[in-house]
């Protein structure tokens, strides 16, 4: 039963991620943390497909995880592939909503955070930097949350150098909203 629930959570979470990214972040040139943030930066400047870029960027991390975190690898790979697929399939949503940058940061953040939180609640994820952070924290006995914050902080700083100031600031709002929502959804009662 848990495997079926995990699969459904991955599908719904990935669908929400695709809606949040395409409906709210991309139209306003906002970024998120992690591999998704890097993929969005590359999309804005080189017009790469966001989902395919996520897969390409996550491939080396997946190879590394096979060597050190085999149990987490399979569920992360499934989440990565399904969420990348939904992000690319739902790209027509980029022209459907006309909302301010602040509204997009908040609404997109809640939708993405709900999707990610749902996936994490059922022991799945989109792989990427979360998987890298798990490997680093295990190898060097560091706090997982601290490693995630450091990695995402580097990505956000990279975004500051390539985004306009208002897009950068609203991206910070989106990232914070994603984080809070993820925590609230993933939290077990």
């Amino acid at each position: 039963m848990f495997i079926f629930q995990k699969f459904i959570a991955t599908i719904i979470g990935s669908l929400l991620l695709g809606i949040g990214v395409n409906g709210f972040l991309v139209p306003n040139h906002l970024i998120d943390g992690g591999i998704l943030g890097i993929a969005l930066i590359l999309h804005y400047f080189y017009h790469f497909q966001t989902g395919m870029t996520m897969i390409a960027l996550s491939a080396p991390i997946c190879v590394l995880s096979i060597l050190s975190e085999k149990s987490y690898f399979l569920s992360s790979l499934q989440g990565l592939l399904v969420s990348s697929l939904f992000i690319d399939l739902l790209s027509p949503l980029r022209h459907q909503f006309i909302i301010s940058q602040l509204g997009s940061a908040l609404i997109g953040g809640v939708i993405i955070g709900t999707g990610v939180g749902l996936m994490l609640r059922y022991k799945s994820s989109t792989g990427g930097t979360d998987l890298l952070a798990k490997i680093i924290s295990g190898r060097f006995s560091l706090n997982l949350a601290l490693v995630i914050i450091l990695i995402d902080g580097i990505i956000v700083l990279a975004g500051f150098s390539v985004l306009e100031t208002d897009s950068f600031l609203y991206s910070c709002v989106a990232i914070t909203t994603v984080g809070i929502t993820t925590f609230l959804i993933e939290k077990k009662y």
Side-chain angles (χ1 to χ4, degrees):
M1 185 67 168
F2 181 76
I3 293 173
F4 180 71
Q5 290 173 334
K6 183 178 186 176
F7 177 73
I8 296 300
T10 299
I11 296 293
I12 294 170
S14 296
L15 177 64
L16 290 171
L17 197 65
I19 292 168
V21 167
N22 290 300
F24 301 97
L25 296 190
V26 172
N28 290 289
H29 290 269
L30 303 178
I31 62 170
D32 192 9
I35 293 293
L36 175 57
I38 297 169
L40 286 170
I41 291 169
L42 292 172
H43 169 74
Y44 297 144
F45 288 96
Y46 301 109
H47 305 288
F48 294 159
Q49 284 186 295
T50 308
M52 291 303 293
T53 304
M54 284 176 57
I55 292 171
L57 293 171
S58 294
I61 298 169
C62 288
V63 169
L64 181 62
S65 73
I66 290 172
L67 303 173
S68 59
E69 292 287 336
K70 290 178 187 170
S71 62
Y72 197 66
F73 165 73
L74 289 176
S75 61
S76 295
L77 181 63
Q78 176 187 4
L80 170 66
L81 295 175
V82 174
S83 62
S84 297
L85 175 69
F86 274 115
I87 287 171
D88 284 348
L89 284 177
L90 295 175
S91 64
L93 289 178
R94 294 174 181 171
H95 309 291
Q96 299 303 312
F97 306 109
I98 300 172
I99 299 176
S100 69
Q101 281 186 304
L102 177 59
S104 290
L106 293 171
I107 295 168
V110 168
I111 292 171
I112 293 168
T114 301
V116 172
L118 183 63
M119 291 171 71
L120 289 174
R121 185 175 200 149
Y122 287 93
K123 306 288 187 234
S124 185
S125 79
T126 59
T129 56
D130 292 342
L131 186 55
L132 179 62
K134 186 165 180 62
I135 293 167
I136 291 171
S137 70
R139 185 154 299 169
F140 298 103
S141 299
L142 298 171
N143 180 287
L144 178 62
L146 177 64
V147 177
I148 291 171
I149 290 168
L150 290 172
I151 292 171
D152 284 352
I154 291 168
I155 294 164
V156 169
L157 288 175
F160 181 70
S161 66
V162 296
L163 295 176
E164 294 179 15
T165 303
D166 60 335
S167 291
F168 170 76
L169 293 174
Y170 288 119
S171 292
C172 291
V173 171
I175 291 166
T176 302
T177 306
V178 168
I180 291 168
T181 306
T182 298
F183 172 76
L184 293 173
I185 298 297
E186 189 270 339
K187 186 171 124 181
K188 300 219 167 54
Y189 296 97

